[in-house]
Amino acid sequence: MDYVREKLMITTERLVLRLFQTPDAAAVATLCNNYNIYKNTLYLPYPYSLNDALSWMGNHYDNFMADKNYEFAVTDKETGELFGAIALSNNKIFNHGEIAYWIGEPFWENGYATEAAQSILQFAFEEKKLHKVFARYFLSNLASGKVMEKIGMKKEGMLKEHVIKDSKYEDLVYYGIINENDQ
């Protein structure tokens, strides 16, 4: 991972993680207007419109500058094509953050979520000096859990029927990792 502070950009072997820009809204709306993305995310609406994308992107820069939340577009390093999004929250009181991500269905099974998650974890520990990073997923979305395991997170527990999605209670599985350099 290479973080360029002046550009608010992270680069990896195959990806560039950067702030969203207004022209990205159409691609975000297209990728998120997908039931398979919706059913695996906690807060995404469905159907998903261009206005939803613009509204969601509206505060990204301010949140980044305020050290609250870091929302990155996950893009192809060569072409710039948008694959999805990854975010890290920053809870300053507890010195921890949560990773959340989605990758558009046409780009599944290419390792993009894992590569982006590994880089955002490194960003959390090396740049933001967080003590702990956690993530959660619906028990029905095992692929997300595999991403968390691949980046070294450990299962910490499950909250049974913790949230409602489409009028059905869902279990949330929590994973976490401690910054070993923060001991």
Side-chain angles (χ1 to χ4, degrees):
M1 178 216 61
D2 182 33
Y3 176 59
V4 182
R5 185 172 283 116
E6 301 76 36
K7 293 184 178 182
L8 310 177
M9 180 188 311
I10 298 171
T11 56
T12 69
E13 183 181 333
R14 301 180 298 160
L15 304 173
V16 172
L17 279 54
R18 59 160 175 81
L19 289 180
F20 280 91
Q21 301 158 358
T22 303
D24 295 324
V28 168
T30 299
L31 292 173
C32 288
N33 193 33
N34 175 316
Y35 185 77
N36 290 324
I37 298 287
Y38 163 79
K39 74 178 184 180
N40 290 314
T41 56
L42 199 51
Y43 299 111
L44 239 59
Y46 183 79
Y48 195 96
S49 70
L50 181 63
N51 283 339
D52 291 324
L54 290 167
S55 175
W56 173 66
M57 293 175 359
N59 294 318
H60 287 183
Y61 179 79
D62 291 340
N63 287 339
F64 199 109
M65 292 293 102
D67 260 347
K68 286 183 182 175
N69 204 27
Y70 317 101
E71 299 265 6
F72 290 99
V74 177
T75 66
D76 183 271
K77 192 174 190 176
E78 300 299 319
T79 67
E81 184 174 13
L82 181 73
F83 295 150
I86 191 157
L88 171 71
S89 66
N90 183 2
N91 185 320
K92 294 177 189 177
I93 294 169
F94 300 119
N95 197 30
H96 70 217
E98 179 180 6
I99 295 176
Y101 47 84
W102 59 266
I103 299 293
E105 189 172 7
F107 309 109
W108 289 359
E109 298 183 14
N110 289 297
Y112 298 138
T114 301
E115 191 170 331
Q118 184 64 58
S119 67
I120 205 86
L121 182 62
Q122 199 173 345
F123 171 78
F125 288 162
E126 293 177 9
E127 294 295 324
K128 297 303 170 183
K129 309 294 187 209
L130 297 180
H131 175 69
K132 180 180 181 177
V133 171
F134 68 96
R136 56 193 168 157
Y137 68 94
F138 293 140
L139 182 58
S140 58
N141 184 10
L142 297 178
S144 194
K146 288 187 189 330
V147 168
M148 294 170 199
E149 289 173 2
K150 287 178 185 176
I151 67 168
M153 296 179 116
K154 302 292 184 214
K155 183 177 177 181
E156 296 186 340
M158 180 169 56
L159 300 177
K160 299 289 290 173
E161 298 184 7
H162 193 66
V163 296
I164 297 176
K165 182 78 174 190
D166 286 341
S167 303
K168 180 183 168 215
Y169 287 98
E170 293 280 351
D171 298 341
L172 281 184
V173 182
Y174 276 74
Y175 273 67
I177 188 168
I178 302 294
N179 184 351
E180 297 301 327
N181 296 321
D182 188 41
Q183 300 299 325

